[in-house]
Amino acid sequence: MKSVRCSSWLVLILLGVLGAGCAGELPPPPPRPAVTVGQPDRDALHLGGTGAMTPLVTLLGEEWTRRGGIPRILVEESIGSGGGIRATYDGAIDLGMVSRPLSTDEVSLGLVSIPVGRDVVAIVAHPGLYADGFLAAELPALYRGEQKRFADGSVAVPLLRDRSESANSALDRVVAGLAEAREQAYKQRRLRVLYNDRAMAEALAGTPGSFGVFSLSWLLAYRLPLKVLSIDGVHPSPQAVADRHYHGSRELYFVARPERLARARAFLDFIRSPEAKTLVRSYGYLPAEAAGVP
Amino acid sequence: MIPFDLTGWFRRRMLPLVALSALILQVSAPTAYYLTKRHELWQQAHAEATRTAMLLHGEIEQRPILWRYNVPKLMERLAAEGMLHGRFLDIRTSSGQVVPIDTTALPRRALWGRAEVLIGGEPAATVWVALDMAPLLHGTLQLAIGFAGLALALAVVLYWVPVHTVAIAQRRIKTLLGELALTIQEEDRRRIARDLHDGAGQALTAARLRLQALGSTVSDQSAVAEIAKLLDNALGEVRRSVYSLSPPALSELGLVGALARHCETFAAATGLKVICEFSELPALRPKVETACYRIVQEALANSARHANARRAWVQLGQEDGVLRLSIYDDGVATITASREGLGLLGIRERARLLDGQADVTVSPDKGLRVEVTIPL
């Protein structure tokens, strides 16, 4: 009887020790069903997505409000093109701001695309950089780390945007070999990577010798003290893009759920208006050609 | 003799004890390793969930509504910094919806850590981090295999050393008991010899002297002579018995001398020619000397009694710390190995009690051969 009691205690102690050692969290519960489409905000039109469109849409929204437009425009912090598409599909926002072509999966979501204009992408540098431009052949060597200093002896600090940034592929059309050099830099983790336009702007402004891919419209819209560099003697500008002298640009457009278009129609009509197109040009963008809004 | 098998008894009690010890050793270390490492792994999972939750906290504060759509970018950043390597991440909104992110595949054996993101005291999101337990299980298995080998080796040592020691002790006890038995036996023989000599021998001698004194007064001299002859025979018998029971030559002449005299006497008494070949011997224990003497006595007696031998050989010598005694004859043995008498059994027993061995070979064409080895 005594031995049975002792054995019971021993088993209990062992179970206690095992229990303590086997502590851990339960796995997450099974996922809930897919997100149901959110209800639109009666008082405001919510826009979100790529940071490339943030200055444009913010300034257009301010102009829209100044003109007494209803509903008011609310531009959310950048969540990237992909985030904007997904949030639009979920009904979390009314219009998604996108700066890259939709993937096959995204096309299958059935969203409506509305072209807005083109954003010019350039190599932008710290204002103190000695040079006004690069040869296209120089850039891959700088990103690969083969060239570490500029001609004046100052240290070159290439900065990277994240892999999914659409400005990267826009500039790849201008500089041959840049994509491979960039990918090598990602893998080697040699260079600093910035994950949104605001962080990139701050890094470029605050790091002597730094340069990287950046939106020209951001520069102009927010009057950032940064230097736009020419490539092979071509200075990036909306006009250069329009004249097809410079190919570093990306298409900007809204995406929307079809049933949300009606409440956004007034604002979209405003964007198509000649006054808005003038404003778009003044912010450093190229307005979309007259394209019908569904 | 030991009344029971001490080594077997000890072995039976040691076996479960050693098996239990080996089992405890084999199980305890891998279990402790597993529990400790698992706890560390869980703490790591929890710490990583907390770190991700802190990063999410900043994201949610910046984008209270749309944060979950920016999480993939945040994860890309974490992945680029190597913080997601080998981790499975699951992020849920406060309403339980999954935030879609690209992450490492969920390991088959996962250990989960969890952390909540609180905004204004309210849960806004929950982060789960799953770490792979396969390396831990693999490590534990390797340790268990290693400790199984160690436990086995230890069990062999724990079992073999005491059992071997007890076996040695048992053999020593057996030897001591054998020697004690021999001592007692010899003591008994000496006492009987003394009693015969002092009792029956003295009485017969007194009777013989008395008869001699009465001889002249008795008319029937032939009867007196007959009684005197009977008394002389009885006295001679008593003397032989006394000599046989406690050979005085052994203490007086030593083993070699005593054997030589015995062989001589035996040859004279039986007509068997006995050839002795003795080499130089170290000082022997009295028990060994007595045993050798008795073995030679018994073997020669057998040769004379059963083998119809004409010659017998007695050889005594030592080699490599072992005393070797050989007695053989040229006779035709009439006994078989299965029908050995008490004498031959006694030879074996005497050798065995001294940790030695006696090989008795009886063959019809080669006579009797006794080979005795006794460790010195």
Side-chain angles (χ1 to χ4, degrees), chain A residues 123 134-141 143 168-182 213 230-232 246-248:
Chain A
I123 292 288
F134 291 135
L135 293 173
E138 280 182 279
L139 275 169
Y143 275 95
N168 286 332
S169 48
L171 205 70
D172 290 345
R173 287 193 290 271
V174 180
V175 183
L178 186 59
E180 292 77 12
R182 197 173 53 237
V213 178
S230 61
I231 297 173
D232 284 340
Y246 184 75
H247 302 290

Side-chain angles (χ1 to χ4, degrees), chain A residues 86 90, chain B residues 68-69 71-73 75 91 97-102:
Chain A
R86 179 54 63 177
D90 289 347
Chain B
R68 72 194 190 95
Y69 298 103
V71 167
K73 207 163 226 188
M75 292 303 118
I91 299 173
Q97 289 161 345
V98 178
V99 178
I101 47 171
D102 284 333

Side-chain angles (χ1 to χ4, degrees), chain B residues 86-223:
Chain B
R87 278 94 178 101
F88 176 82
L89 212 64
D90 189 301
I91 299 173
R92 305 287 176 95
T93 64
S94 57
S95 57
Q97 289 161 345
V98 178
V99 178
I101 47 171
D102 284 333
T103 182
T104 311
L106 176 64
R108 205 158 60 89
R109 295 181 185 279
L111 187 69
W112 293 92
R114 189 175 77 99
E116 282 199 331
V117 184
L118 298 175
I119 303 289
E122 293 294 320
T126 310
V127 179
W128 276 271
V129 171
L131 296 181
D132 192 1
M133 284 181 70
L136 167 63
L137 295 172
H138 185 65
T140 307
L141 184 66
Q142 279 187 324
L143 198 68
I145 291 168
F147 265 82
L150 187 67
L152 187 66
L154 196 70
V156 168
V157 172
L158 276 178
Y159 179 75
W160 186 80
V161 170
V163 167
H164 181 67
T165 308
V166 168
I168 290 171
Q170 184 178 0
R171 277 204 298 277
R172 181 75 185 131
I173 291 168
K174 212 160 99 178
T175 306
L176 288 172
L177 285 175
E179 288 182 2
L180 186 65
L182 279 179
T183 305
I184 292 168
Q185 196 180 41
E186 288 304 320
E187 277 298 318
D188 280 349
R189 283 169 177 264
R190 272 195 289 276
R191 184 179 53 76
I192 293 165
R194 199 168 47 244
D195 288 350
L196 274 175
H197 181 268
D198 295 347
Q202 291 300 327
L204 285 170
T205 303
R208 179 70 176 86
L209 290 171
R210 184 72 179 146
L211 183 66
Q212 202 172 353
L214 286 174
S216 56
T217 61
V218 177
S219 56
D220 189 358
Q221 283 297 316
S222 61

